[in-house]
Amino acid sequence: MGQTRAYNGSDANFIIFSGQRINIIKDKHDDFIAFSPHFIPEKLVELESLYETASNISSDNTYIDIQAKATENVNTELAACSKFFQRRKFDIELAFPNDKKVWNQFGFNDYDDARRSGKLMYIFLTDFHMISDKYKDRLIANGWTEETFTQILNHRDQLKIYMDEQSECILNRNRATEDRTIALNSLYEKLSVYFKAARIIYEEDEDFLKWFKFPAHSPKSSSEEEEEVVDEM
């Protein structure tokens, strides 16, 4: 992500804040038109369009929930892969008793790292299938079937599907955050012009002018900002 917020506070609060101010500007737009030829009706349409765009981009919370489920799927399948290998490990030890060099060809010495990482497990199962195929006759003689060999690749491929989904979730969340920030930064810039004009148009009305001030920077945490209630008319 390369976008920095031009506005203070959370996205949610700034969206609510902007919506309230746009409604005020809409009601008073004739004053702005009379003040400067800059404020043509199309400027208000542009302001509303940016607001709608930002409002309709799903929040980070939505993507966090989707990503959490995708991560759960990866972890569940990773555990299933580990359980599958542990079962097959018993057969391999019987087929090649006390032959640790052959055991290591099957990944006995790499398994501990693989069981902790989806990416490493994917590579591990690819290698495991290749070595299993090399010793196919011996393994079949010790109880393996064609389905056993197929299950190795099935586990590997299902793990890859879940990892791809997880990566896509992360990408979509970053993209949505980036798009929302771009839209809200543009909205901030457009509102700034209106706010500057308002300070001149309504310089004699201090009570009304308070609606044309951006939220100040707050030292609160992001979670506290999300809960903060924005002022209402």
Side-chain angles (χ1 to χ4, degrees):
M1 285 181 57
Q3 290 296 318
T4 302
R5 291 172 174 171
Y7 48 93
N8 292 318
S10 67
D11 292 353
N13 274 342
F14 189 67
I15 288 172
I16 295 172
F17 171 90
S18 300
Q20 294 170 347
R21 273 53 184 184
I22 290 171
N23 286 335
I24 296 171
I25 290 170
K26 189 187 302 184
D27 290 341
K28 297 290 187 179
H29 206 248
D30 286 345
D31 293 348
F32 289 93
I33 291 175
F35 174 73
S36 169
H38 171 80
F39 298 107
I40 57 178
E42 288 77 9
K43 293 294 182 181
L44 180 58
V45 172
E46 184 179 9
L47 199 63
E48 292 177 310
S49 177
L50 285 170
Y51 172 76
E52 289 300 321
T53 296
S55 298
N56 286 300
I57 298 174
S58 298
S59 71
D60 283 350
N61 288 337
T62 299
Y63 287 100
I64 288 170
D65 292 339
I66 295 172
Q67 186 177 327
K69 180 59 180 176
T71 300
E72 179 185 337
N73 289 340
V74 170
N75 291 336
T76 299
E77 184 56 35
L78 184 58
C81 292
S82 298
K83 185 176 181 180
F84 172 79
F85 175 75
Q86 288 291 352
R87 172 62 187 87
R88 305 282 71 88
K89 185 178 177 182
F90 177 83
D91 299 333
I92 294 166
E93 289 174 345
L94 289 181
F96 304 94
N98 300 316
D99 194 339
K100 292 186 178 181
K101 289 185 178 179
V102 173
W103 293 357
N104 286 340
Q105 290 181 46
F106 281 96
F108 282 29
N109 57 335
D110 299 320
Y111 168 71
D112 199 47
D113 288 334
R115 69 184 180 85
R116 295 185 175 92
S117 166
K119 292 178 181 178
L120 292 180
M121 179 59 78
Y122 178 84
I123 296 171
F124 178 86
L125 291 177
T126 299
D127 294 343
F128 184 55
H129 183 267
M130 184 269 291
I131 294 298
S132 297
D133 192 59
K134 175 182 177 181
Y135 293 106
K136 187 171 185 176
D137 293 341
R138 188 81 167 264
L139 291 170
I140 289 177
N142 281 269
W144 281 35
T145 65
E146 289 295 336
E147 183 181 0
T148 310
F149 294 91
T150 301
Q151 285 176 335
I152 300 173
L153 296 182
N154 286 346
H155 278 294
R156 184 200 68 175
D157 293 345
Q158 186 61 61
L159 181 62
K160 179 66 161 52
I161 289 171
Y162 286 144
M163 287 194 299
D164 286 347
E165 289 176 354
Q166 183 186 44
S167 297
E168 184 68 16
C169 288
I170 295 171
L171 180 63
N172 287 341
R173 179 186 175 188
N174 290 341
R175 185 182 296 121
T177 301
E178 184 91 351
D179 290 346
R180 191 186 318 105
T181 303
I182 290 172
L184 289 177
N185 280 347
S186 297
L187 185 57
Y188 175 88
E189 292 176 7
K190 304 301 180 185
L191 281 174
S192 294
V193 178
Y194 276 96
F195 282 20
K196 288 178 182 178
R199 287 197 289 270
I200 300 172
I201 298 171
Y202 306 111
E203 61 182 342
E204 302 298 330
D205 191 343
E206 288 293 331
D207 287 338
F208 191 56
L209 271 179
K210 72 178 183 179
W211 300 107
F212 296 96
K213 294 180 180 179
F214 288 110
H217 172 72
S218 171
K220 295 179 182 179
S221 66
S222 59
S223 61
E224 289 174 323
E225 286 176 345
E226 291 294 343
E227 296 173 357
E228 180 181 318
V229 177
V230 179
D231 51 16
E232 298 180 354
M233 288 293 288

